[in-house]
Amino acid sequence: EVTLLMHMGYRLEHYGMLKTIGYQQLMAYSKGILTLEEAIAQWKTKEYQYAKKQKTFITHDPSFILTSPDKATLDWVMNMV
């Protein structure tokens, strides 16, 4: 998908959607800047950092109510993914 978008003329610096986690790393791989292993490692690191920021934000925002789902709900969510 990333290679196709690049061939269609899309460039990382011009399109917001291409600045998302994953696209940045795969574009760098497609351009030969990163190896596939480096791109995957960076992608995982960026995803972890973003999830940590989200958790911090949600934990400190009183409008969010954190609960622990029961097993049936958790199973349903996991089957939807």
Side-chain angles (χ1 to χ4, degrees):
E1 180 179 344
V2 172
T3 303
L4 176 63
L5 290 172
M6 289 174 62
H7 285 293
M8 292 172 62
Y10 288 89
R11 296 290 174 255
L12 183 64
E13 57 275 3
H14 296 121
Y15 298 94
M17 70 177 187
L18 299 180
K19 293 182 181 179
T20 59
I21 299 170
Y23 275 105
Q24 294 176 344
Q25 291 74 28
L26 292 177
M27 285 191 126
Y29 166 68
S30 293
K31 291 178 180 179
I33 298 169
L34 296 174
T35 66
L36 182 57
E37 292 77 19
E38 291 169 331
I40 291 170
Q42 278 190 16
W43 188 348
K44 288 179 179 180
T45 300
K46 296 286 186 184
E47 287 284 359
Y48 174 79
Q49 291 169 341
Y50 186 67
K52 190 173 179 182
K53 285 180 186 178
Q54 287 179 315
K55 182 181 179 211
T56 300
F57 173 78
I58 290 170
T59 302
H60 292 93
D61 188 330
S63 65
F64 285 94
I65 300 170
L66 300 178
T67 63
S68 295
D70 58 46
K71 183 171 179 358
T73 302
L74 187 57
D75 288 343
W76 180 83
V77 169
M78 295 308 292
N79 284 327
M80 296 303 288
V81 175

